[in-house]
mmCIF file of all heavy atoms in Angstrom:
data_model
loop_
_atom_site.group_PDB
_atom_site.id
_atom_site.type_symbol
_atom_site.label_atom_id
_atom_site.label_comp_id
_atom_site.label_asym_id
_atom_site.label_seq_id
_atom_site.Cartn_x
_atom_site.Cartn_y
_atom_site.Cartn_z
ATOM 1 N N GLY G 16 2.693 -18.290 11.614
ATOM 2 C CA GLY G 16 2.897 -19.507 10.828
ATOM 3 C C GLY G 16 4.306 -19.600 10.287
ATOM 4 O O GLY G 16 5.161 -18.752 10.569
ATOM 5 N N PRO G 25 27.321 -24.598 0.052
ATOM 6 C CA PRO G 25 28.519 -24.949 -0.729
ATOM 7 C C PRO G 25 29.044 -26.316 -0.314
ATOM 8 O O PRO G 25 28.602 -26.893 0.684
ATOM 9 C CB PRO G 25 29.501 -23.846 -0.341
ATOM 10 C CG PRO G 25 29.124 -23.498 1.066
ATOM 11 C CD PRO G 25 27.626 -23.633 1.123
ATOM 12 N N ASP G 74 4.417 -19.136 -0.610
ATOM 13 C CA ASP G 74 4.798 -20.412 -0.030
ATOM 14 C C ASP G 74 4.871 -20.371 1.493
ATOM 15 O O ASP G 74 4.962 -21.419 2.140
ATOM 16 C CB ASP G 74 6.161 -20.852 -0.588
ATOM 17 C CG ASP G 74 6.075 -21.181 -2.081
ATOM 18 O OD1 ASP G 74 5.066 -21.787 -2.481
ATOM 19 O OD2 ASP G 74 7.004 -20.816 -2.822
ATOM 20 N N ASP G 81 -2.705 -9.701 4.144
ATOM 21 C CA ASP G 81 -2.541 -9.600 5.599
ATOM 22 C C ASP G 81 -1.157 -9.097 5.985
ATOM 23 O O ASP G 81 -0.896 -8.822 7.157
ATOM 24 C CB ASP G 81 -2.762 -10.970 6.248
ATOM 25 C CG ASP G 81 -4.180 -11.470 6.049
ATOM 26 O OD1 ASP G 81 -5.099 -10.628 6.007
ATOM 27 O OD2 ASP G 81 -4.367 -12.693 5.924
ATOM 28 N N ALA G 82 -0.248 -9.017 5.014
ATOM 29 C CA ALA G 82 1.143 -8.674 5.324
ATOM 30 C C ALA G 82 1.321 -7.181 5.512
ATOM 31 O O ALA G 82 0.733 -6.371 4.797
ATOM 32 C CB ALA G 82 2.059 -9.166 4.201
ATOM 33 N N PRO G 136 18.695 -1.401 -6.968
ATOM 34 C CA PRO G 136 17.894 -1.002 -5.815
ATOM 35 C C PRO G 136 16.861 0.072 -6.135
ATOM 36 O O PRO G 136 17.134 1.009 -6.885
ATOM 37 C CB PRO G 136 18.951 -0.464 -4.838
ATOM 38 C CG PRO G 136 20.073 -0.006 -5.705
ATOM 39 C CD PRO G 136 20.113 -0.978 -6.856
ATOM 40 N N ASN G 139 13.300 4.908 -3.652
ATOM 41 C CA ASN G 139 12.184 5.676 -3.104
ATOM 42 C C ASN G 139 10.937 4.802 -3.054
ATOM 43 O O ASN G 139 10.383 4.441 -4.083
ATOM 44 C CB ASN G 139 11.948 6.920 -3.984
ATOM 45 C CG ASN G 139 10.878 7.838 -3.434
ATOM 46 O OD1 ASN G 139 9.766 7.416 -3.156
ATOM 47 N ND2 ASN G 139 11.239 9.101 -3.247
ATOM 48 N N GLY G 176 -7.672 3.954 5.402
ATOM 49 C CA GLY G 176 -7.316 2.737 6.120
ATOM 50 C C GLY G 176 -7.894 1.473 5.529
ATOM 51 O O GLY G 176 -8.007 0.451 6.212
ATOM 52 N N VAL G 181 -4.595 -4.472 -6.506
ATOM 53 C CA VAL G 181 -3.928 -4.048 -7.741
ATOM 54 C C VAL G 181 -3.230 -5.254 -8.365
ATOM 55 O O VAL G 181 -2.433 -5.926 -7.689
ATOM 56 C CB VAL G 181 -2.880 -2.945 -7.464
ATOM 57 C CG1 VAL G 181 -2.146 -2.555 -8.752
ATOM 58 C CG2 VAL G 181 -3.529 -1.726 -6.834
ATOM 59 N N LEU G 186 -3.202 -5.022 -1.073
ATOM 60 C CA LEU G 186 -2.221 -4.305 -0.256
ATOM 61 C C LEU G 186 -2.902 -3.792 1.008
ATOM 62 O O LEU G 186 -3.890 -3.054 0.935
ATOM 63 C CB LEU G 186 -1.628 -3.123 -1.031
ATOM 64 C CG LEU G 186 -0.485 -3.407 -2.004
ATOM 65 C CD1 LEU G 186 -0.914 -4.355 -3.108
ATOM 66 C CD2 LEU G 186 0.039 -2.108 -2.603
ATOM 67 N N SER G 200 18.756 4.286 2.363
ATOM 68 C CA SER G 200 19.833 5.038 3.018
ATOM 69 C C SER G 200 20.554 4.089 3.962
ATOM 70 O O SER G 200 20.106 2.964 4.195
ATOM 71 C CB SER G 200 19.267 6.232 3.785
ATOM 72 O OG SER G 200 18.409 5.783 4.825
ATOM 73 N N PRO G 203 23.571 6.057 10.394
ATOM 74 C CA PRO G 203 24.821 6.677 10.847
ATOM 75 C C PRO G 203 25.747 5.631 11.473
ATOM 76 O O PRO G 203 25.302 4.744 12.205
ATOM 77 C CB PRO G 203 24.345 7.692 11.894
ATOM 78 C CG PRO G 203 22.921 7.969 11.547
ATOM 79 C CD PRO G 203 22.379 6.691 10.991
ATOM 80 N N ALA G 207 30.305 -1.217 6.874
ATOM 81 C CA ALA G 207 30.511 -2.404 6.035
ATOM 82 C C ALA G 207 30.444 -1.976 4.572
ATOM 83 O O ALA G 207 29.805 -0.962 4.249
ATOM 84 C CB ALA G 207 29.449 -3.463 6.344
ATOM 85 N N LEU G 214 21.508 -3.211 -14.135
ATOM 86 C CA LEU G 214 21.472 -3.625 -15.533
ATOM 87 C C LEU G 214 20.941 -2.466 -16.366
ATOM 88 O O LEU G 214 20.068 -1.718 -15.921
ATOM 89 C CB LEU G 214 20.573 -4.851 -15.706
ATOM 90 C CG LEU G 214 21.124 -6.170 -15.168
ATOM 91 C CD1 LEU G 214 20.074 -7.268 -15.303
ATOM 92 C CD2 LEU G 214 22.405 -6.563 -15.890
ATOM 93 N N ALA G 225 19.512 8.054 -9.881
ATOM 94 C CA ALA G 225 19.170 7.826 -8.470
ATOM 95 C C ALA G 225 20.313 7.119 -7.740
ATOM 96 O O ALA G 225 20.638 7.466 -6.596
ATOM 97 C CB ALA G 225 17.886 7.007 -8.369
ATOM 98 N N ASP G 241 30.573 1.088 -3.838
ATOM 99 C CA ASP G 241 30.910 1.143 -5.254
ATOM 100 C C ASP G 241 29.693 0.747 -6.060
ATOM 101 O O ASP G 241 28.763 0.117 -5.539
ATOM 102 C CB ASP G 241 32.090 0.212 -5.571
ATOM 103 C CG ASP G 241 31.804 -1.227 -5.215
ATOM 104 O OD1 ASP G 241 31.046 -1.882 -5.955
ATOM 105 O OD2 ASP G 241 32.327 -1.717 -4.195
ATOM 106 N N GLU G 255 8.940 -12.645 -20.879
ATOM 107 C CA GLU G 255 9.525 -13.982 -20.775
ATOM 108 C C GLU G 255 10.533 -14.003 -19.620
ATOM 109 O O GLU G 255 11.044 -12.961 -19.211
ATOM 110 C CB GLU G 255 10.233 -14.350 -22.085
ATOM 111 C CG GLU G 255 9.341 -14.299 -23.324
ATOM 112 C CD GLU G 255 8.225 -15.331 -23.270
ATOM 113 O OE1 GLU G 255 8.447 -16.397 -22.659
ATOM 114 O OE2 GLU G 255 7.155 -15.072 -23.816
ATOM 115 N N ILE G 256 10.799 -15.187 -19.108
ATOM 116 C CA ILE G 256 11.788 -15.311 -18.045
ATOM 117 C C ILE G 256 13.189 -15.126 -18.629
ATOM 118 O O ILE G 256 13.579 -15.837 -19.559
ATOM 119 C CB ILE G 256 11.673 -16.691 -17.358
ATOM 120 C CG1 ILE G 256 10.277 -16.853 -16.750
ATOM 121 C CG2 ILE G 256 12.763 -16.839 -16.294
ATOM 122 C CD1 ILE G 256 9.904 -15.815 -15.710
ATOM 123 N N LEU G 262 25.607 -10.284 -14.829
ATOM 124 C CA LEU G 262 25.311 -9.761 -13.495
ATOM 125 C C LEU G 262 25.750 -10.762 -12.420
ATOM 126 O O LEU G 262 26.295 -10.377 -11.381
ATOM 127 C CB LEU G 262 23.808 -9.483 -13.364
ATOM 128 C CG LEU G 262 23.335 -8.985 -12.000
ATOM 129 C CD1 LEU G 262 24.039 -7.689 -11.605
ATOM 130 C CD2 LEU G 262 21.806 -8.776 -11.993
ATOM 131 N N CYS G 267 29.750 -12.355 -8.294
ATOM 132 C CA CYS G 267 30.760 -13.291 -7.766
ATOM 133 C C CYS G 267 32.081 -12.564 -7.505
ATOM 134 O O CYS G 267 32.782 -12.865 -6.529
ATOM 135 C CB CYS G 267 30.977 -14.445 -8.742
ATOM 136 S SG CYS G 267 29.580 -15.599 -8.845
#
Side-chain angles (χ1 to χ4, degrees):
D74 293 320
D81 296 327
N139 184 307
V181 177
L186 278 61
S200 63
L214 288 175
D241 59 75
E255 303 296 329
I256 300 300
L262 178 59
C267 289

